[in-house]
Amino acid sequence: MPICPVCEYKSSEWYEIARHIYSLAKKSDAKHIMWLNRNLSVKEVSEEELTKSLEGFFRVRNNLSDWIRQKFIDKFYGENPHPFILAMQKPTKAVLLGYVIEHQHFLKNWVRILSTIVARTDKDDVIRYELGNIAVEYIGFNNKPSHYELLLRMGESLGMKREQILSIPPLPATRSALNTWWDIALNKGWVETMASMHSLELVADRSLVKYGAKMHYFNPKILESNEYPQEVKDFLREGYEADEGHAGEALELVDKYAEGFEDIQVSVIRSFDAFSKYLLARLERAIQIDKSVLGVLT
């Protein structure tokens, strides 16, 4: 059913959704205007043109996972790649520390949110998949350290004590993003939560270049470079290798159990917006550590 991606007003026709958004935009409603600017166009259009744009934006041609993958590429790897991804092509020590400090908050909340999926689904394949995720991310699996542990080791290798890393509260932008993901987890269905969280793993999926991504999450040459501590390379390699196809497996489960598209699509786009804000928080933290990062970004 057609749905407003901002306030979730529903109607049987996209034209009614377009009229609703158009009316609120005319009244200078900030949330609706921001969504239009981020996802469709900054130019003012007619109700008829807005209807066509909304229909095109939400149209699923093959399956939902393909739509999610393409929207992720458009937002983070398109003509204007996300600033954090640009910074990761040759990351400085400050950028990597900003990554560590903010990401430890993300990972702790990540596994807790995945546990809500386990609690709310009765699908055995989903339960197994999510429990495996929780083990790999936070506990460790097959005698390998968890991603969380590898992250902390990366921070230590860059000169910051573990106790200090763990003592730093998240920046407001990170906290805001976490609040968005918790809102989805607590107030939407488990399929929406699964789509919203695991679509974020696409960020490190090497196969995205085959679908139009302009670059990888980081320059792969880093993994062979002597410029970075081994712990940095260990952490980056783990995610780079683990997430290739991993997000695809989750999205296949979303395709399998989705009973409709629009509600999931709206939650996914909310999640992408939160993720963009969160990635910027990593850079904000990096600038706090070393103001020269700002010069590199500009």
Side-chain angles (χ1 to χ4, degrees):
M1 176 180 289
I3 179 174
C4 172
V6 182
C7 62
E8 302 188 23
Y9 163 74
K10 294 184 178 182
S11 176
S12 60
E13 301 289 342
W14 277 114
Y15 181 67
E16 288 297 324
I17 301 297
R19 287 183 60 188
H20 159 80
I21 296 175
Y22 188 84
S23 173
L24 287 170
K26 281 291 188 181
K27 295 176 182 177
S28 300
D29 181 89
K31 291 183 178 181
H32 286 78
I33 292 172
M34 286 173 60
W35 192 93
L36 291 173
N37 291 346
R38 287 173 181 161
N39 297 287
L40 295 182
S41 174
V42 296
K43 298 178 181 178
E44 185 174 346
V45 297
S46 67
E47 291 181 9
E48 291 77 12
E49 291 172 315
L50 181 55
T51 301
K52 291 179 182 178
S53 294
L54 287 168
E55 289 176 334
F57 184 87
F58 286 101
R59 184 176 297 120
V60 175
R61 289 180 170 83
N62 297 311
N63 51 52
L64 186 56
S65 58
D66 284 350
W67 182 92
I68 291 171
R69 184 176 289 105
Q70 191 56 56
K71 292 302 180 190
F72 190 91
I73 292 171
D74 292 345
K75 188 169 184 69
F76 295 99
Y77 284 108
E79 294 301 323
N80 297 298
H82 192 282
F84 181 78
I85 292 169
L86 291 174
M88 284 297 292
Q89 301 311 301
K90 190 173 176 58
T92 65
K93 177 180 176 180
V95 167
L96 292 170
L97 282 173
Y99 190 161
V100 171
I101 293 167
E102 297 306 306
H103 198 51
Q104 54 119 349
H105 297 291
F106 176 92
L107 284 182
K108 280 188 284 191
N109 282 275
W110 169 269
V111 296
R112 293 170 63 208
I113 290 172
L114 296 191
S115 73
T116 71
I117 299 171
V118 175
R120 297 171 70 185
T121 185
D122 61 352
K123 308 301 182 185
D124 289 345
D125 49 358
V126 174
I127 293 171
R128 284 193 297 270
Y129 179 80
E130 295 300 4
L131 290 177
N133 268 280
I134 291 169
V136 168
E137 293 290 346
Y138 205 71
I139 302 170
F141 191 67
N142 284 343
N143 295 318
K144 295 177 65 176
S146 68
H147 290 181
Y148 183 70
E149 173 63 23
L150 290 173
L151 177 75
L152 296 177
R153 291 180 187 179
M154 177 167 80
E156 290 174 321
S157 77
L158 295 166
M160 186 171 284
K161 292 184 180 297
R162 182 174 300 220
E163 295 77 12
Q164 184 182 1
I165 295 169
L166 296 175
S167 71
I168 301 173
L171 286 170
T174 296
R175 174 54 58 195
S176 174
L178 293 173
N179 287 342
T180 295
W181 292 316
W182 273 110
D183 182 64
I184 293 170
L186 297 177
N187 295 298
K188 303 298 180 182
W190 67 263
V191 179
E192 286 177 62
T193 304
M194 193 172 194
S196 299
M197 300 312 295
H198 287 293
S199 59
L200 305 180
E201 293 180 299
L202 289 168
V203 73
D205 189 337
R206 288 178 288 176
S207 71
L208 289 190
V209 294
K210 296 188 297 186
Y211 299 94
K214 301 297 184 182
M215 61 185 65
H216 293 286
Y217 182 41
F218 59 87
N219 187 339
K221 292 181 180 178
I222 291 172
L223 300 178
E224 310 303 327
S225 171
N226 292 324
E227 293 182 46
Y228 300 92
Q230 185 61 44
E231 291 83 356
V232 171
K233 293 184 282 188
D234 289 345
F235 173 77
L236 294 178
R237 179 180 289 107
E238 187 70 18
Y240 191 55
E241 294 177 351
D243 284 346
E244 183 180 18
H246 188 68
E249 185 179 349
L251 296 181
E252 286 177 4
L253 291 169
V254 170
D255 278 331
K256 180 178 180 180
Y257 293 114
E259 296 182 354
F261 292 158
E262 289 87 355
D263 287 331
I264 297 173
Q265 288 171 298
V266 168
S267 290
V268 165
I269 295 300
R270 280 187 69 201
S271 181
F272 287 176
D273 287 341
F275 194 56
S276 177
K277 181 184 295 185
Y278 160 63
L279 293 182
L280 289 175
R282 294 180 182 176
L283 290 179
E284 182 184 350
R285 182 69 74 182
I287 292 167
Q288 290 180 357
I289 295 169
D290 182 357
K291 288 184 171 54
S292 69
V293 172
L294 187 58
V296 174
L297 294 175
T298 56

